[in-house]
Amino acid sequence: MEESAVDKVRDILLKAQEEVKAVQVENKEIQLECDLGNLVVTDNNTLVQDTLRNSDECGEYLRSLARDSIQTLITKVWDLPTERIDNAVYVTLPKPSISIPREKKVPVEKPLTKWEQYAKDKGITKRKKEKKVWDEVLKQWVPRYGFRKVQADKEKNWVRVVPENADPYEDQYAKVAEMKKENVAKNEFQRLRNIARNSKVKLPSVGVTGNEFARPKDLLRAAQHAKHATASLGKFQPGLKGEKPSKGRGNKRKSEGSTMDIQQEKKRNIDIFDKIGKPDLNLDAAMHRQVKDDNVEHDRKKKGGKKHLRRSKMGGRHLTRSDHRSIKLGKGIHNNGPKGKGRDAGPGSKGKGKDRASLLQLASKRGATGKIIMKANKRKKFSKR
Amino acid sequence: MRPLTNEETKLVLTKLKKYIGQNVRTLLERSDGLYCLRLHNNRVYYVKEEIMKFAVSLPRENLVSLGVCFGKITKGGKFMLRITALDFLHPYCQNKIWVKSSSEDSFLYGNHVYKSGLSRISDNTAKYTGAIIFSSKDIPLGFGVTGKSTPECRLADPMNIICFNQADVGEYIRNEEGLI
C-alpha cells in the first residue's frame, strides 16, 4: 500500500515537473525581444555554428529555438490582462512597437482647383443644399438638378417673357439653351485649365479665353500683344487716350552670378563711370548720316536748283543722280572719288559697303568730322537710345 | 545678392560722383584688394571680394548685411546714400563744410546747416552738389546737398540754408533699426 502511494506521489511530482518544464524557457545570454502588438519575437543570440552545420542536429536545434521564442511570446501574452466573453478568452494587445513600412507609397493629396484654393484661403465652407426645392409655381418639390429637373423646367417655363428692349422675333428658348451651352463650355474650359495648372503645363496666355469670360487683365494683355504685332513691333502704333505703356513684355534680364569675374566687373564699372555726363553718341550712325547728307547736298548743287528735294508719293526721299548711279554700280553711298564713268569709280569702291576708315577719310576730306559732333549733339536721332 | 546692372551702377556712381568727383575711380580701383558693389534687399553694399564670396554660400533670406552699406535703391528708382557710406566719402570729398561747435548738435539732430551755423566752406563749392559736413575739430558729421554756392554764402542771411541735410551720424542713434 505504502509503496504504491509513494509511487503515486512520485508520479504526480514528475508530471508536475514536466508541466512546469513544458512552459519554462531557460535563460539566454541576450533577452528575447517581444513586440506584442505585432506578435513578433526576436532572438538576438548568436547561433551555435557547429550544431547548425551538423545536419543531424540542425533541425532539432532550430526547432528548439523556435519553441523557446514562441513560448516566451505566449507567456508574455498570457501575462496581459484577460477577459472572458462567452467562454472565450480575449486579450487586448498593446500598441506595436515595431513600425512596419507601408507597401504602397503615401497617397498624394489631390491638387486643389482654383476655386477650392480660393475658398480655402478665404475660409469659405461648402454649404449643404437639399436635393429638392419647393417650387411655388408648380406647387411641388422639384429636384435642384439631375433626374426630372428638365421635365420640371419644361412644365414651369411653358411660356417665356420677351424683355421690353429685346428683339420681338428672337427665340427666347434658343437664347436660354445657348446660355446653358455656354455655361457648360465654360465649366469644361475651367476644368481643363485646372488640370493644366496642376500638371504644370504651360498655357498660351493670349487668345484662348473668349471675350465673354476674359478678365480685364487678360484683355489688356491681348490688346498689348495685338498692338505689338506689327512690322515695326508696335513702334508707330498710335496709343489710346490715357493708355499706359505696356509693362512686363520682353525677356527678363538674366542677372550674372554673384561671383562673376571681379576684374571684369571692375573694368565695366569704370567704363560706366567714365561715360557719366557724356553724350551717348553712336559714331558710326552719325558718320553715315553726315556723309549721305553731304552727298545729297553736293548733288543738288550740281543739278543747279531746287532748294527742297521733292518727296516721292511712295514716301521715300527723291533719288538723286548719285543715288541712281550708286544703285547701278551696286554700292551703298555715293562717293566723290576721281572723276570718270565706269567701274573704276574711286578708292575703296569695290564691294557693297565701305570700311569705317575709308569713310572717316572721306569725311575728313570734306571737313565733315567737325560737323558730325555738332549735328549729333543737336539731333537725338543719332544717339543709341 | 547680385551684382548691379549697368543702369543701377550708373545711378550709384552718379550719386557718388556728386560727392567725391573723380575719386570714385579710387574706390573702384583699390590697391589693397578687389572691391565690388552688390545689391541685396535693394541696398547697395561695397564689399571686399573675399567677404562677398563667403556671403554667396548663405541663403538669401538669412543674409542681413555684408560689407558696407552705401545706400538704398528706392522703389521709385532713386539711389539714396546712407550715413554708413560716410567713412568712404569723407577722405575723398571735394566740397567741405565746417559747422560751428554751437550748431553741431542741431545738425546731428537732423536739421539743415544754416548760415548762422556755418564756420567755413571750401572754395569753389557749387550750388546743389554734394558736400561733407565736418565739425570744427575736423570730425566728419554727415553729408548733404549745398543750397548755396561759396560766393552766395557770403551774402546770405543767417537763416538761409547752406546745406540740406542728407544724412548725419546722429542717425546711428535716431534711426538705428533703419540702418540695416
Side-chain angles (χ1 to χ4, degrees), chain A residues 118-383:
Chain A
Y118 177 77
K120 201 179 155 198
D121 293 345
K122 285 268 181 187
I124 301 166
T125 44
K126 216 171 180 177
R127 258 183 304 148
K128 185 117 180 145
K129 288 179 189 166
E130 292 87 40
K131 263 193 143 181
K132 290 200 169 184
V133 280
W134 178 254
D135 199 305
E136 276 298 322
V137 183
L138 297 179
K139 301 280 180 218
Q140 68 181 38
W141 291 93
V142 168
R144 198 186 285 276
Y145 56 86
F147 185 53
R148 290 204 170 138
K149 161 77 196 298
V150 179
Q151 207 183 354
D153 233 22
K154 265 184 192 164
E155 270 177 47
K156 188 182 164 189
N157 296 317
W158 59 277
V159 62
R160 277 200 182 273
V161 184
V162 178
E164 237 175 60
N165 48 3
D167 176 17
Y169 297 106
E170 195 180 36
D171 185 356
Q172 294 300 321
Y173 286 98
K175 204 176 160 189
V176 170
E178 180 73 14
M179 288 256 282
K180 169 125 189 154
K181 249 186 179 176
E182 291 266 351
N183 227 350
V184 171
K186 182 195 166 191
N187 268 337
E188 180 65 8
F189 173 69
Q190 284 183 339
R191 188 182 71 85
L192 293 175
R193 199 168 55 181
N194 274 325
I195 291 170
R197 200 168 58 98
N198 291 331
S199 53
K200 304 240 161 50
V201 177
K202 212 179 172 193
L203 288 176
S205 53
V206 184
V208 174
T209 48
N211 285 353
E212 193 111 347
F213 311 115
R215 287 161 300 167
K217 209 173 101 192
D218 295 337
L219 288 175
L220 193 69
R221 203 187 292 154
Q224 280 168 359
H225 272 265
K227 197 178 170 187
H228 201 253
T230 66
S232 56
L233 299 178
K235 199 179 172 186
F236 303 107
Q237 214 60 18
L240 297 170
K241 199 181 168 190
E243 188 186 342
K244 284 176 190 161
S246 68
K247 261 194 288 184
R249 289 205 80 264
N251 291 334
K252 235 182 167 182
R253 185 187 61 83
K254 270 186 195 144
S255 126
E256 305 107 358
S258 263
T259 52
M260 61 183 276
D261 189 4
I262 302 288
Q263 284 287 0
Q264 209 181 323
E265 192 189 333
K266 191 178 86 181
K267 215 174 141 200
R268 198 185 64 182
N269 285 353
I270 287 170
D271 279 350
I272 290 170
F273 176 69
D274 286 341
K275 274 181 194 160
I276 289 173
K278 286 177 187 159
D280 201 1
L281 175 70
N282 185 353
L283 194 66
D284 275 348
M287 186 77 72
H288 277 92
R289 184 87 184 205
Q290 181 64 34
V291 170
K292 182 139 193 164
D293 281 0
D294 274 11
N295 279 337
V296 171
E297 187 72 20
H298 181 74
D299 255 23
R300 235 172 40 194
K301 272 184 193 158
K302 239 182 168 180
K303 264 177 150 181
K306 284 175 194 167
K307 284 207 169 173
H308 300 287
L309 287 173
R310 178 167 51 82
R311 298 188 82 88
S312 81
K313 276 184 184 166
M314 292 299 284
R317 178 175 63 81
H318 168 73
L319 290 181
T320 60
R321 202 152 33 127
S322 70
D323 287 329
H324 284 301
R325 191 169 40 182
S326 60
I327 288 165
K328 199 171 141 199
L329 290 170
K331 287 187 297 181
I333 300 167
H334 168 73
N335 88 68
N336 199 21
K339 298 263 162 66
K341 284 173 187 174
R343 293 204 168 258
D344 292 327
S349 64
K350 295 266 156 73
K352 283 193 173 178
K354 273 185 199 170
D355 57 347
R356 211 180 130 195
S358 68
L359 267 175
L360 270 168
Q361 206 185 349
L362 188 72
S364 64
K365 214 192 268 175
R366 297 193 180 176
T369 30
K371 261 189 225 166
I372 291 166
I373 308 300
M374 261 175 55
K375 284 215 170 183
N377 281 337
K378 267 184 210 164
R379 295 190 200 176
K380 285 284 175 187
K381 266 183 205 168
F382 299 144
S383 67

Side-chain angles (χ1 to χ4, degrees), chain B residues 22-164:
Chain B
Q22 288 298 320
N23 287 326
V24 176
R25 266 171 168 280
T26 336
L27 280 185
L28 295 174
E29 281 180 308
R30 283 172 64 146
S31 53
D32 60 334
L34 283 171
Y35 279 75
C36 54
L37 292 167
R38 285 287 177 274
L39 189 85
H40 177 65
N41 282 345
N42 276 343
R43 281 149 186 82
V44 178
Y45 294 93
Y46 181 65
V47 210
K48 202 169 187 177
E49 189 202 6
E50 286 105 67
I51 295 174
M52 183 271 293
K53 279 188 177 159
F54 284 132
V56 166
S57 57
L58 292 172
R60 199 185 289 177
E61 57 267 28
N62 293 355
L63 185 64
V64 176
S65 169
L66 71 156
V68 174
C69 178
F70 261 18
K72 186 183 174 184
I73 293 180
T74 61
K75 297 216 166 157
K78 284 178 185 158
F79 176 65
M80 312 264 271
L81 268 177
R82 281 269 169 83
I83 185 61
T84 38
L86 182 68
D87 287 343
F88 289 88
L89 297 183
H90 80 83
Y92 303 113
C93 69
Q94 295 179 321
N95 308 320
K96 296 183 180 184
I97 289 174
W98 285 267
V99 289
K100 286 178 189 163
S101 50
S102 55
S103 66
E104 263 172 36
D105 276 357
S106 161
F107 178 72
L108 291 182
Y109 287 133
N111 297 323
H112 304 311
V113 177
Y114 297 98
K115 172 72 197 301
S116 56
L118 181 72
S119 136
R120 266 197 301 158
I121 182 165
S122 52
D123 286 342
N124 302 327
T125 303
K127 206 175 180 178
Y128 306 138
T129 54
I132 311 283
I133 284 124
F134 290 84
S135 73
S136 50
K137 284 169 191 161
D138 252 358
I139 301 165
L141 297 180
F143 48 84
V145 175
T146 54
K148 295 251 184 280
S149 64
T150 313
E152 278 175 331
C153 280
R154 301 217 172 91
L155 307 168
D157 293 334
M159 282 318 285
N160 277 4
I161 295 171
I162 301 297
C163 186
F164 296 98

